[in-house]
Amino acid sequence: FDSGLTRYEKGNYKEAIVYLSKFIKKNPQNENACLLRNMCYRQTGKLEVVIEDATMMLMRFPRNADLYYARAFAYASVGETRLAIKDYSKAIKLSPEKANLFYNRGISYDEAGKLQKAIDDFSRAIELNPEEADFYFSRALVYETLNKSEPAILDYSKAIELNPCDAEVYYYRAFLFAQEKDFDNACTDLHKVLEMNYEMDEAEIIYDSFCDK
């Protein structure tokens, strides 16, 4: 196990898989080794293998939330949104204190067009971990889709407060300010985007056309 873990930590995922597979063959009930090998498969981009391996391991460890999460993430990555939501829900039932589970299920709900459920999950993730900027940013995007500008701006602003170096959030807030005819704040945000060298040609074009220099 230690040889596999060392190689995983060094980024040698293929070698780690070899060592962990040998260890698992001799120690089939070691959950940590099984989970770590699955993480290696994910790092190599073999998502179908992640799904197959997690499915097999869940027959052995049916109450392992991390394995449900691993399979859910892989399902989501290959476009199997319904299956991803199902597995995220199983993981949440087993580990309801983990904010990332709600966050990732919220992403899948958003992709499935179930926007209120997405907001509910992002809100729960925020309750569990109110210091994560991405949670507010993702909820803001859904609020904006629902034409709820006020809570969207509040969430964009909170995301910026928590992570003031994320130019993308300024960019999205700028366009929402512009839609609300608040051009001063929109230009302030666009200026910030350009200062941060965010690669978005549209931001520079709009700034040059409408904002004072």
Side-chain angles (χ1 to χ4, degrees):
F1 177 79
D2 289 342
S3 296
L5 177 60
T6 298
R7 283 160 176 78
Y8 172 81
E9 291 173 342
K10 291 181 178 180
N12 297 327
Y13 303 117
K14 292 182 179 179
E15 290 184 17
I17 289 169
V18 172
Y19 280 95
L20 290 167
S21 295
K22 290 179 180 178
F23 180 84
I24 291 168
K25 188 174 182 179
K26 294 180 180 179
N27 304 273
Q29 296 303 317
N30 190 299
E31 288 188 61
N32 290 333
C34 293
L35 182 60
L36 183 59
R37 185 179 65 177
N38 193 272
M39 292 168 63
C40 290
Y41 285 136
R42 176 177 160 186
Q43 291 295 333
T44 61
K46 297 180 178 179
L47 297 177
E48 295 296 340
V49 178
V50 172
I51 293 169
E52 180 181 346
D53 180 68
T55 299
M56 182 173 62
M57 291 301 103
L58 280 165
M59 294 176 67
R60 195 177 302 169
F61 311 112
R63 297 192 59 78
N64 190 303
D66 290 330
L67 284 170
Y68 280 113
Y69 172 77
R71 191 171 67 175
F73 192 90
Y75 275 141
S77 299
V78 299
E80 294 284 358
T81 306
R82 181 183 62 83
L83 293 175
I85 291 171
K86 185 177 180 180
D87 270 358
Y88 283 133
S89 297
K90 289 179 179 178
I92 286 169
K93 187 175 181 179
L94 292 167
S95 295
E97 77 287 352
K98 292 185 177 180
N100 271 343
L101 295 177
F102 287 96
Y103 172 68
N104 281 283
R105 189 176 67 174
I107 295 292
S108 289
Y109 274 137
D110 183 17
E111 291 175 351
K114 298 180 179 181
L115 303 185
Q116 186 55 54
K117 286 188 174 182
I119 288 174
D120 291 344
D121 269 359
F122 294 145
S123 297
R124 181 57 181 154
I126 288 168
E127 288 176 11
L128 292 168
N129 182 8
E131 302 302 315
E132 177 53 63
D134 285 345
F135 296 171
Y136 295 94
F137 179 46
S138 294
R139 190 172 68 175
L141 291 172
V142 179
Y143 277 137
E144 188 169 354
T145 300
L146 292 170
N147 295 316
K148 295 183 177 182
S149 298
E150 185 175 348
I153 289 174
L154 288 173
D155 273 356
Y156 285 137
S157 299
K158 185 62 177 181
I160 288 169
E161 176 187 327
L162 292 169
N163 183 12
C165 297
D166 190 342
E168 187 177 18
V169 185
Y170 287 100
Y171 178 78
Y172 277 92
R173 190 176 67 171
F175 276 83
L176 187 52
F177 276 139
Q179 289 175 22
E180 295 298 302
K181 311 300 182 184
D182 186 350
F183 296 111
D184 287 342
N185 278 322
C187 289
T188 298
D189 275 357
L190 285 173
H191 180 66
K192 189 71 174 180
V193 170
L194 297 176
E195 280 186 334
M196 300 170 80
N197 295 316
Y198 183 57
E199 294 183 4
M200 183 60 70
D201 292 339
E202 190 175 359
E204 186 171 1
I205 293 171
I206 294 173
Y207 185 82
D208 287 343
S209 299
F210 297 102
C211 301
D212 292 333
K213 300 182 181 177

